[in-house]
């Protein structure tokens, strides 16, 4: 090898070879690139969203005529093909915006190596108004129906019953209601919707866009039940108290209950009676008993299912009340009735009950009635009907209480005015004036009695003679005299 290196010709050849290599390297790297080796392409990007910055949403409401643009860009295939749409940004600066209408240019940002050919539109019209807020009650409508025979109760909205609507002043004045919609499909139990979307509507029922509603949705609970009816709760009793005890107070914890069933069954109900067992009470005092409310036939359920009843008992006591008036009822039309026995038309009763209740009684607390319905004229023995306050009883309930009542026609009224003399028949001269005069003189006493009882009986023999006429005239005179005498 050293021999070759020392050879001058070899070194010249080697130097020439290195020189050729260096020349080739320099000229290959610096050679101009042909234009046909570079690939430039264009691309259309639709719906590039306009990003707004610097806008005071707490103070203003803004509306733009467009919210996105169309961009045409160009660049190397690698640059425009593999860049996602989010890499293309269009912005609108509203930092200095004021109420009114303004046209502003759009700014854009493109990926590296990409150029914008054109953007449509390049500017936007912006309308700005002061923001106004108003509260509206939340309403709700339903579409569809619950199960057959079931009905909707009152909806319960949470968390609030009102919503605040924020709009430009010109739009807010159009809002008539805030409303949500519930879809029903044969439900037979309580319906629940956790997020009922709220919308603002005008008076024609058209939705108002761009309304900011707070809250934007609410939860809804709609009771779906059978038809129901509220009924007063009455307390009935089974079993018996010890002989020495009586009830003094019975108080259920509620006064009304709700029954669910078909409408025709509910229509026939006016009250509901719950039953408590008195046989469990063995001493005077206050206890609490539980009554189960069992649905009667045709009723689906009762709410509540049980009721607590507070029961107070006392040792029995008696009190006698005198002078309780007896009232008549049921007197037939055209008749009169009067109590003949007892003459005082009052009665004395011995009553039994709790001492505190007996102390509160007086004559007005007790009703005693003699019912003469359907009785004809005559004298009748009528049983008395006694109405007593709650938890008060007759001391001797086996005793039959009666009164004697006389039913009669009204008394015949006595004429108050004597008939005119000219109306009678003028008698012919009598052959025995002394006798006629005597008859007239004694007539008032006799005729007075006749007027109070029955009408004068006509003579069985009628005569066309002067004597018959005289008798008729005398009768007329007697009646007239009697009336006149009574008047005197």
């Amino acid at each position: 090898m050293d021999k070759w290196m020392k050879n001058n010709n070899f070194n010249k050849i080697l130097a020439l070879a290195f020189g050729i290599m260096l020349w080739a390297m320099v000229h290959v790297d610096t050679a101009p690139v042909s234009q046909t080796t570079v690939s430039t392409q264009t691309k259309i990007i639709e719906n590039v969203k306009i990003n707004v910055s610097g806008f005071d949403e707490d103070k203003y409401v803004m509306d733009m005529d467009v919210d996105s643009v169309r961009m045409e860009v160009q660049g190397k295939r690698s640059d425009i093909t593999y860049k996602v749409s989010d890499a293309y940004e269009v912005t609108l600066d509203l930092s200095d915006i004021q109420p009114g209408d303004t046209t502003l240019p759009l700014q854009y940002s493109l990926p590296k190596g990409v150029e914008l050919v054109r953007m449509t539109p390049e500017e936007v019209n912006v309308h700005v108004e002061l923001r106004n807020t108003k509260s509206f009650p939340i309403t709700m409508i339903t579409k569809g129906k619950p199960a057959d025979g079931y009905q909707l109760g009152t909806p319960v909205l949470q968390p609030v019953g009102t919503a605040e609507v924020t709009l430009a002043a010109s739009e807010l004045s159009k809002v008539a209601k805030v409303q949500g919609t519930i879809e029903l499909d044969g439900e037979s139990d309580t319906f629940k919707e956790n997020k009922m979307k709220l919308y603002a509507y005008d008076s024609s029922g058209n939705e108002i866009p761009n309304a900011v509603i707070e809250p934007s949705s609410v939860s809804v609970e709609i009771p779906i039940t059978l038809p129901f009816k509220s009924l007063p709760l009455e307390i009935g009793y089974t079993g018996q108290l010890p002989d020495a005890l009586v009830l003094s107070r019975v108080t259920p914890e509620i006064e009304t209950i709700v029954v669910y069933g078909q409408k025709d069954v509910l229509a026939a109900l006016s009250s509901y009676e719950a039953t408590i067992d008195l046989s469990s009470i063995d001493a005077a005092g206050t206890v609490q008993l539980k009554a189960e409310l069992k649905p009667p036939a045709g009723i689906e359920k009762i709410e509540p299912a049980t009721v607590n009843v507070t029961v107070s008992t006392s040792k029995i006591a008696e009190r006698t009340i005198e002078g309780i008036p007896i009232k008549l009822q049921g007197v037939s039309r055209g008749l009169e009735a009067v109590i003949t026995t007892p003459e005082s038309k009052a009665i004395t009763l011995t009553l039994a009950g709790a001492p505190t209740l007996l102390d509160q009684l007086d004559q007005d607390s007790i009703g005693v009635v003699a019912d003469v319905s359907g009785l004809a004229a005559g004298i009748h023995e009528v049983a008395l009907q006694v109405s007593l306050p709650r938890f008060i009883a007759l001391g001797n309930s086996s005793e039959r209480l009666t009164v004697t009542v006389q039913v009669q026609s009204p008394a015949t009224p006595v004429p108050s005015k004597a008939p005119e003399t000219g109306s009678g028949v003028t008698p012919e001269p009598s052959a025995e004036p002394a006798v006629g005069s005597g008859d007239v003189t004694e007539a008032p006493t006799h005729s007075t009695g006749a007027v109070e009882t029955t009408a004068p009986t006509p003579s069985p023999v009628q005569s066309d003679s002067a004597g018959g006429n005289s008798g008729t005239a005398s009768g007329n005179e007697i009646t007239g005299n009697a009336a006149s005498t009574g008047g005197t």
Side-chain angles (χ1 to χ4, degrees), residues 174-181 199-203 205-208:
K174 300 177 183 179
V175 178
K177 60 185 176 181
V178 173
Q179 184 172 273
T181 302
Y199 299 90
Y201 296 92
D202 62 18
S203 58
N206 301 314
E207 182 185 347
I208 298 177

Side-chain angles (χ1 to χ4, degrees), residues 308-323:
N308 293 321
V309 182
T310 302
V311 181
S312 299
T313 56
S314 303
K315 290 186 177 181
I316 193 169
E318 290 189 347
R319 180 186 172 191
T320 300
I321 299 181
E322 300 177 349

Side-chain angles (χ1 to χ4, degrees), residues 17 25 91 116 130 190 198 220 225 231 266 316 325 367 379 432:
M25 291 176 62
T91 60
L116 178 68
L130 288 172
T190 298
L198 299 179
V220 180
T225 65
L231 297 176
L266 294 177
I316 193 169
I379 298 176
E432 299 176 352

Side-chain angles (χ1 to χ4, degrees), residues 96-340:
D96 300 324
I97 197 71
Q98 295 295 322
D101 294 313
T102 308
T103 300
L104 297 173
L106 294 173
Q107 306 296 325
Y108 61 89
S109 174
L110 303 176
K112 185 177 180 180
V114 178
E115 296 179 355
L116 178 68
V117 177
R118 66 177 57 85
M119 180 173 65
T120 308
E122 295 182 346
E123 57 185 18
V124 295
N125 298 317
V126 181
H127 176 75
V128 176
E129 290 188 38
L130 288 172
R131 175 185 290 270
N132 285 343
T133 300
K134 184 178 179 181
S135 293
F136 293 86
I138 299 174
T139 60
M140 186 199 75
I141 61 171
T142 60
K143 293 183 179 180
K145 295 182 179 180
D148 290 342
Y150 286 75
Q151 63 184 19
L152 302 180
T154 302
V156 178
L157 304 179
Q158 292 292 340
V160 291
T162 60
E164 291 188 342
V165 179
T166 301
L167 276 170
S170 59
E171 291 294 312
L172 189 60
S173 62
K174 300 177 183 179
V175 178
K177 60 185 176 181
V178 173
Q179 184 172 273
T181 302
I182 293 296
E183 300 280 350
L184 297 177
D185 185 18
E187 287 82 0
S188 60
D189 201 357
T190 298
F191 177 91
K192 295 182 179 180
E193 173 60 63
N194 292 328
K195 293 189 70 175
M196 180 181 72
K197 183 71 174 176
L198 299 179
Y199 299 90
Y201 296 92
D202 62 18
S203 58
S204 299
N206 301 314
E207 182 185 347
I208 298 177
N210 303 322
V212 178
I213 304 175
E214 181 61 36
S216 60
S217 63
V218 294
S219 65
V220 180
E221 184 174 310
I222 308 176
I224 299 179
T225 65
L226 286 167
F228 61 89
K229 186 177 183 180
S230 294
L231 297 176
L233 177 63
E234 299 179 354
I235 303 298
Y237 310 98
T238 60
Q240 293 183 346
L241 293 172
D243 292 339
L245 298 181
V246 289
L247 293 172
S248 61
R249 187 178 181 86
V250 176
T251 308
E253 62 181 344
I254 57 175
E255 296 182 355
T256 59
I257 52 94
V258 180
V259 294
Y260 297 83
Q262 298 302 323
K263 289 184 178 180
D264 55 343
V265 178
L266 294 177
L269 299 178
S270 59
S271 64
Y272 179 87
E273 182 178 280
T275 303
I276 57 175
D277 186 3
L278 299 179
S279 62
S280 60
I281 301 175
D282 55 9
T286 299
V287 297
Q288 190 173 82
L289 302 179
K290 181 170 290 187
E292 293 187 4
L293 309 187
K294 298 180 179 179
I299 295 300
E300 184 73 17
K301 66 176 181 176
I302 298 178
E303 291 181 349
T306 61
V307 172
N308 293 321
V309 182
T310 302
V311 181
S312 299
T313 56
S314 303
K315 290 186 177 181
I316 193 169
E318 290 189 347
R319 180 186 172 191
T320 300
I321 299 181
E322 300 177 349
I324 304 171
I326 303 171
K327 298 179 181 179
L328 287 171
Q329 73 175 23
V331 180
S332 299
R333 186 175 182 181
L335 297 177
E336 292 180 350
V338 61
I339 298 173
T340 58

